[in-house]
Amino acid sequence: MELKVKNLEFSYDEDPVLKDLNFSLSGEPHLNAVLGPNGSGKSTLLKCINGILSPDSGEVRLGSTELTSLTAAKLSRLIAYVPQKEMLNFPAPVFDMVMMGRKPHAGFRPSDEDKKRTAEVIRDMKLEEIAFRNFNCLSGGQQQKVLIARALVQDPELMLLDEPTSSLDLKHQLEVMEIISNKLKRGIPALVAMHDLKLAGRFCQEFVIMNEGEIYAKGGQEVINSRSIAEVYGVEAEVEISKSGPIIHPVKSACTKAV
């Protein structure tokens, strides 16, 4: 389903964070990236789409459905959200964590079919060896895989991922992005907020670049270029086009803008 954001605005108290955002993304089963420096509004945008935050004004549509008018229960049947990090105050086995994704469909009493679907996703994600370990005892990379599995078992129309690789080492960054990319090829489009331009260029197909709460550029890999990096991130960089996407070589700080 196509995602459309129209005239979207959001403020914390009187401080505007999202300023009249307008863009659309195709419903193709691939990975779309929201890029931008800290404070540009990436995470806030995802939370407004998912209903965690209520926009001050504007519309968010998934296909013909206006999302901002839906209840949380109805919204959770359409959208799965993977946070940067899950904070648990109690131990929970991996199997139970993943099965939480079935709640929008099963309520508080999962059926045998819900358990079967959970087992399928755990097997597909190669999480069987840790299925009965407590989530809060896992490594960062393992936890991220579990959160992705929980989103997949939800069987959503759209996945939202907020900085899914921010706390991972290089190996696990690549592993998590490969998992996300491969799973989406089966039919689920996704929107991922990211800092790492190299990873985004390698795995994503459409890009929304944000700067100070506004859309700076939207398009394909061509929007990741020396000019956009200088103007948005304040960094002079050389951009090399390769078969695996744009490769960014930072040269020096272009101004005093914080990144």
Side-chain angles (χ1 to χ4, degrees):
M1 291 187 183
E2 184 181 22
L3 176 69
K4 292 185 178 180
V5 174
K6 182 179 180 181
N7 305 129
L8 191 69
E9 297 193 350
F10 178 83
S11 301
Y12 287 109
D13 296 325
E14 296 183 358
D15 183 23
V17 179
L18 304 179
K19 307 171 186 176
D20 195 30
L21 300 190
N22 289 274
F23 69 91
S24 63
L25 295 171
S26 71
E28 295 298 318
H30 60 215
L31 200 53
N32 309 281
V34 181
L35 306 174
N38 289 334
S40 59
K42 302 187 301 298
S43 294
T44 300
L45 171 60
L46 263 59
K47 290 177 181 178
C48 284
I49 294 173
N50 194 37
I52 297 173
L53 297 173
S54 297
D56 299 334
S57 60
E59 294 183 355
V60 180
R61 289 186 176 273
L62 187 61
S64 60
T65 303
E66 212 287 291
L67 300 181
T68 53
S69 64
L70 297 182
T71 63
K74 290 182 178 179
L75 194 59
S76 64
R77 295 190 187 104
L78 295 174
I79 296 178
Y81 175 70
V82 179
Q84 292 186 34
K85 190 173 183 180
E86 184 77 15
M87 301 300 293
L88 285 181
N89 295 321
F90 58 91
V94 166
F95 190 94
D96 292 349
M97 278 290 295
V98 176
M99 193 161 60
M100 286 179 187
R102 296 301 302 167
K103 185 178 177 182
H105 308 283
F108 290 99
R109 292 191 176 183
S111 65
D112 289 342
E113 187 61 31
D114 294 315
K115 295 175 183 177
K116 179 181 177 182
R117 177 74 179 119
T118 300
E120 288 174 352
V121 171
I122 285 176
R123 183 170 57 252
D124 194 35
M125 292 284 290
K126 296 179 173 56
L127 296 172
E128 295 126 304
E129 291 186 3
I130 60 171
F132 297 101
R133 288 179 58 188
N134 285 333
F135 177 82
N136 54 4
C137 295
L138 303 180
S139 68
Q142 289 173 324
Q143 287 187 354
Q144 203 62 30
K145 291 180 191 177
V146 172
L147 296 179
I148 293 168
R150 185 179 67 181
L152 289 171
V153 84
Q154 198 170 325
D155 293 328
E157 299 290 337
L158 173 70
M159 281 182 62
L160 303 175
L161 302 102
D162 191 2
E163 298 286 355
T165 62
S166 61
S167 61
L168 306 181
D169 60 31
L170 182 58
K171 177 183 177 181
H172 288 99
Q173 286 177 5
L174 288 171
E175 193 173 75
V176 165
M177 290 303 295
E178 286 170 352
I179 288 171
I180 295 169
S181 179
N182 289 335
K183 300 307 176 190
L184 297 184
K185 290 176 182 177
R186 301 184 183 182
I188 307 173
L191 184 61
V192 54
M194 297 188 70
H195 275 300
D196 194 315
L197 297 179
K198 292 181 180 180
L199 277 179
R202 168 70 177 83
F203 290 100
C204 301
Q205 288 74 43
E206 292 186 68
F207 304 86
V208 176
I209 300 179
M210 296 187 65
N211 189 28
E212 297 181 351
E214 299 178 330
I215 302 297
Y216 172 86
K218 188 264 179 184
Q221 294 180 345
E222 73 279 355
V223 301
I224 303 178
N225 54 53
S226 297
R227 179 177 177 179
S228 64
I229 294 171
E231 293 183 354
V232 173
Y233 292 90
V235 173
E236 289 186 12
E238 296 175 355
V239 180
E240 175 187 346
I241 303 301
S242 72
K243 291 181 180 180
S244 61
I247 299 175
I248 295 91
H249 303 283
V251 178
K252 65 178 180 178
S253 176
C255 62
T256 58
K257 182 171 182 172
V259 294

